[in-house]
């Protein structure tokens, strides 16, 4: 069962919820905006669906409510920050802003963040950078939830990767995990009592499965591109850990809950280049070339990364957001 919720209604309810949990007015507004915006883009799994999870993390003190990210080292236009186990969304906003500032000052800016928590939808920060005119590459490690290719037990994180490019005709924003399906998306299929359309991970008997409940039990997702996704996951974990001086997926495996992840925020200011008109022309040329293709299905089309996300936002602003009634009722109960 689903309900239709407007952007304004969801943001107001969430802001009241976060204020109830003693966040400041500014913090509550940011948290409400991020979770609502993620849902507006059609990513309920990392928007409204994550709110009960976040509140549970606060209650368990996995997330330290009053903690804020602080700068601990500076190496020119590369900085290390420590999130002090604070809310991942607030830390991510702060570090994205700082990477943008460094890029505006130095063409390229990089912030490596350690000891932070789940940033919810990484794509939010890619859109944020693009809206401010920056190219971005952002990524995080996670607890182990995929095998190294050829192994059985989970040893790698699905380590989401975001890349964004600002464009006047619509920003290009890639937001993907290293697993075939993000675990939040797998949970959405479970809630709808549906099978995955493709194999998404292994069950308890080490068989590839489309059953979301089985995959959520094992926490053993299928890497994208099999061995290629496995290798890329390891590289992202290495870079996030080494650049931040933080925790690796191996170290996260020792915790009863995922906390203290490592992240990288790299921004580039393309406005520093003298050929901005050419950049726009080349980007459109690439998009046009991929759009002008024979579709595999009648009436179908191809999309550039972020195109459907933006279309979802436009449609959901007009018609309201389709939300799980079960999740919405949980959120309402949390505000009481």
């Amino acid at each position: 069962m689903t309900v239709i919720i407007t952007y304004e209604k969801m943001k107001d309810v969430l802001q009241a919820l976060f204020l109830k949990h003693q966040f400041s007015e500014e913090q509550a507004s940011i948290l409400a905006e991020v979770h609502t915006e993620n849902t507006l883009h059609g990513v309920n799994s990392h928007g409204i669906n994550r709110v009960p999870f976040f509140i549970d993390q606060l209650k368990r003190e996995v997330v330290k409510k009053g903690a804020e990210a602080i700068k601990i080292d500076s190496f020119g236009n590369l900085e290390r920050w420590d999130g002090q186990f604070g809310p991942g969304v607030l830390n991510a906003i702060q570090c994205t802003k700082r990477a943008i500032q460094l890029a505006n000052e130095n063409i390229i800016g990089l912030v490596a963040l350690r000891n932070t928590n789940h940033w919810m939808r990484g794509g939010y920060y890619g859109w944020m950078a693009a809206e401010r005119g920056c190219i971005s590459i952002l990524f995080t490690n996670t607890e182990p939830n995929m095998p190294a290719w050829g192994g059985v037990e989970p040893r790698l994180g699905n380590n989401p990767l975001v890349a964004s490019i600002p464009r006047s005709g619509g920003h290009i924003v890639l937001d993907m995990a290293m697993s075939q399906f993000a675990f939040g998306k797998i949970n959405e299929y479970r809630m709808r009592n549906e099978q995955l359309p493709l194999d998404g991970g292994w069950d308890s008997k080490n068989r590839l499965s489309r059953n979301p409940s089985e995959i959520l039990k094992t926490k053993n997702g299928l890497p994208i591109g099999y061995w290629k996704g496995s290798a890329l996951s390891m590289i992202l974990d290495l870079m996030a850990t080494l650049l931040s001086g933080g925790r690796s997926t191996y170290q996260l495996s020792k915790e009863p809950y995922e906390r203290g992840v490592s992240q990288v925020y790299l921004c580039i200011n393309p406005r520093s280049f003298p050929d901005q008109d050419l950049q726009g022309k080349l980007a459109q040329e690439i998009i046009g070339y991929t759009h002008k293709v024979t579709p595999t299905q009648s009436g179908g089309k191809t999309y550039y990364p972020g195109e459907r996300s933006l279309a979802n936002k436009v449609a959901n602003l007009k018609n309201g957001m389709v939300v799980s009634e079960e999740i919405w009722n949980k959120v309402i109960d949390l505000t009481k």
Side-chain angles (χ1 to χ4, degrees):
M1 297 291 289
T2 58
V3 291
I4 305 297
I5 308 296
T6 66
Y7 177 90
E8 294 77 12
K9 173 74 176 292
M10 183 176 292
K11 187 174 180 182
D12 287 347
V13 168
L14 294 185
Q15 183 152 355
L17 173 61
F18 296 131
L19 285 172
K20 175 187 173 183
H21 284 271
Q22 300 178 328
F23 286 99
S24 69
E25 288 277 355
E26 180 182 9
Q27 291 172 328
S29 178
I30 291 171
L31 289 167
E33 197 277 332
V34 170
H35 284 87
T36 304
E37 184 76 12
N38 292 347
T39 311
L40 196 65
H41 278 254
V43 192
N44 296 38
S45 59
H46 291 68
I48 189 65
N49 292 8
R50 287 275 175 165
V51 173
F53 162 79
F54 176 62
I55 298 301
D56 183 64
Q57 283 193 318
L58 290 173
K59 291 178 178 177
R60 294 176 184 271
E61 298 184 344
V62 175
V63 174
K64 294 184 178 180
K65 181 167 41 187
E68 296 182 2
I70 56 171
K71 184 171 75 172
I72 53 175
D73 277 310
S74 180
F75 312 95
N77 53 347
L78 187 157
E79 295 181 352
R80 277 182 172 171
W81 286 59
D82 192 312
Q84 302 192 94
F85 301 98
V89 166
L90 300 180
N91 287 343
I93 293 282
Q94 187 174 0
C95 289
T96 303
K97 287 182 176 179
R98 180 56 182 157
I100 292 169
Q101 183 180 1
L102 287 168
N104 289 338
E105 295 169 356
N106 305 288
I107 303 180
I108 295 176
L110 188 150
V111 173
L113 174 66
R114 68 191 185 208
N115 296 330
T116 190
N117 285 301
H118 201 301
W119 62 2
M120 303 305 162
R121 169 178 162 252
Y124 181 93
Y125 316 105
W127 283 96
M128 179 179 167
E131 287 290 336
R132 288 160 176 76
C134 278
I135 293 171
S136 74
I137 300 174
L138 322 168
F139 52 93
T140 180
N141 63 8
T142 73
E143 65 182 355
N145 51 29
M146 298 194 313
W149 193 253
V152 174
E153 297 85 6
R155 289 293 184 267
L156 304 173
N158 63 342
N159 303 347
L161 169 67
V162 177
S164 67
I165 301 167
R167 190 176 74 99
S168 59
H171 303 315
I172 303 162
V173 183
L174 171 72
D175 181 7
M176 59 180 286
M178 294 301 105
S179 55
Q180 183 67 42
F181 297 91
F183 276 80
K185 181 61 68 174
I186 292 174
N187 191 50
E188 277 193 352
Y189 279 94
R190 181 197 63 79
M191 290 171 59
R192 297 197 301 263
N193 198 29
E194 295 178 6
Q195 296 286 292
L196 301 175
L198 300 167
D199 289 336
W202 283 269
D203 63 18
S204 56
K205 295 182 179 179
N206 198 36
R207 299 173 302 191
L208 280 174
S209 175
R210 300 187 181 191
N211 185 318
S213 296
E214 287 294 320
I215 298 167
L216 290 170
K217 284 179 186 176
T218 63
K219 285 190 175 180
N220 210 8
L222 175 65
I224 58 170
Y226 304 114
W227 51 89
K228 294 181 180 181
S230 172
L232 183 52
S233 169
M234 187 179 295
I235 289 295
L236 293 176
D237 183 32
L238 281 162
M239 288 197 293
T241 303
L242 298 178
L243 288 171
S244 69
R247 295 184 178 193
S248 65
T249 291
Y250 162 66
Q251 290 163 333
L252 294 171
S253 73
K254 300 178 180 180
E255 296 277 357
Y257 307 102
E258 181 186 87
R259 68 192 300 264
V261 301
S262 302
Q263 299 175 341
V264 170
Y265 301 80
L266 171 64
C267 289
I268 303 167
N269 178 6
R271 299 183 302 279
S272 303
F273 305 143
D275 56 355
Q276 291 183 54
D277 290 341
L278 176 61
Q279 290 180 49
K281 179 182 177 182
L282 293 174
Q284 184 54 45
E285 183 180 83
I286 293 167
I287 289 171
Y289 182 61
T290 53
H291 272 168
K292 293 175 183 177
V293 65
T294 304
T296 56
Q297 297 180 352
S298 177
K301 62 172 292 188
T302 60
Y303 299 88
Y304 63 82
E307 188 173 5
R308 283 186 290 187
S309 178
L310 184 58
N312 287 339
K313 178 177 181 177
V314 172
N316 286 336
L317 277 173
K318 178 181 178 181
N319 304 318
M321 297 171 284
V322 179
V323 174
S324 160
E325 186 175 27
E326 176 188 350
I327 292 293
W328 185 247
N329 288 338
K330 282 183 181 179
V331 171
I332 295 299
D333 287 344
L334 288 170
T335 66
K336 296 176 181 178

